[in-house]
Amino acid sequence: MEVIETNTIKVNGITISYTDSGEGIYPVIFIHGFPFNKQAWKPQADFFKKSNRVITYDIRGFGESGTNDEKTSIALFADDLLKFMDALGIKKAILCGLSMGGYILLEAVTLYPDRFKGMILCDTQCVADTPEAKEKRLEIIQQIKENGLEDFAKTFLETAFCKESFNSKKKLIEKLNRDIIALPSKVVVDTLYALAQRPEKCTVLKDIVVPTLIICGKEDKITGIERSEFLFSNIDHSSLKIISDAGHVSNLEQPEEFNKCLGNFIKALLK
Ligand code: MLT
């Protein structure tokens, strides 16, 4: 398989690392979840570059993107995304985000609906953290400050993948584990605070006019399918696909099925 080249661009006072391959009028831009990086979209980039222009990028602080001392927030990540599109001269795109990537899209779509040709919300939700979920994030932050990232990475990956894919995708999980452990602790801690403080977006779902596909792994334990069902019931022009034998990272756990759902949506959108 041909390797996709990585580029960098200055955006919003930081350097963004990204890939840009294939051709098409409306690029498909993929936004990764926490605490991953753009490589989490490799099965999609390799597949869709044959028929579309495909862009993956590292959210500030993750992968090979830089960061600065601006306070981390989902709103800042959304601002980076829009400025990244501006810098690449992209007026409108098909935007696909998983989990935290979905939080970023729900922030961006209400502010800049004209920049969206279509939206794919994968394994994500519109609710804010409950007080219990916030408490749990603070415990994890404390644990990372005391012991580093190893326990956090292990527990997160065990929870994110469904049991079957956790056992069958050992090599992939080892690589993800290495990438998480290599992150600066500060980036992980600051992002956990940002996740804990993110505002709810359920009350704005009714205003979304962008055609939307919602995808969720049937065994997602982090953002369960009831969260996707809620998005589906409250976003006009949306459809919902549940992927069997997948947990919270459905695009990596069942890439073929995921690509099929996404491919059908994109085809219908561009017809
Ligand atoms: C993610 O996958 O991006 C995170 O699990 C989101 C979250 O913890 O809320």
Side-chain angles (χ1 to χ4, degrees), residues 8-43:
T8 57
I9 194 163
K10 282 260 182 214
V11 170
N12 231 5
I14 56 161
T15 301
I16 295 268
S17 171
Y18 71 101
T19 68
D20 188 347
S21 53
E23 282 171 27
I25 301 177
Y26 297 105
V28 189
I29 305 181
F30 289 97
I31 302 118
H32 63 80
F34 168 81
F36 298 124
N37 59 55
K38 62 181 174 317
Q39 289 178 37
W41 293 111
K42 185 171 168 17

Side-chain angles (χ1 to χ4, degrees), residues 32-36 98-103 123-125 129 137 156 160 192 195-196 198 222-223 248-249:
H32 63 80
F34 168 81
F36 298 124
L98 188 133
S99 197
M100 181 175 78
Y103 306 163
D123 298 282
T124 194
Q125 59 188 350
D129 273 10
R137 300 239 198 236
F156 185 85
L192 283 164
L195 288 167
R198 75 184 191 283
I222 298 179
T223 48
H248 185 61
V249 271

Side-chain angles (χ1 to χ4, degrees), residues 61 63 149-150 153 175-185 187-188:
L149 289 166
E150 285 190 22
K175 162 88 175 89
L176 293 169
N177 191 59
R178 279 198 300 277
D179 283 356
I180 298 173
I181 290 172
L183 281 166
S185 295
V187 166
V188 178

Side-chain angles (χ1 to χ4, degrees), residues 10-11 53 82 86 101 106 108 145 162 177 205-206 214 263:
K10 282 260 182 214
V11 170
R53 181 176 172 197
L82 266 295
D86 289 344
L106 286 175
K145 284 183 174 164
C162 78
N177 191 59
L205 297 180
K206 62 179 186 334
I214 299 148

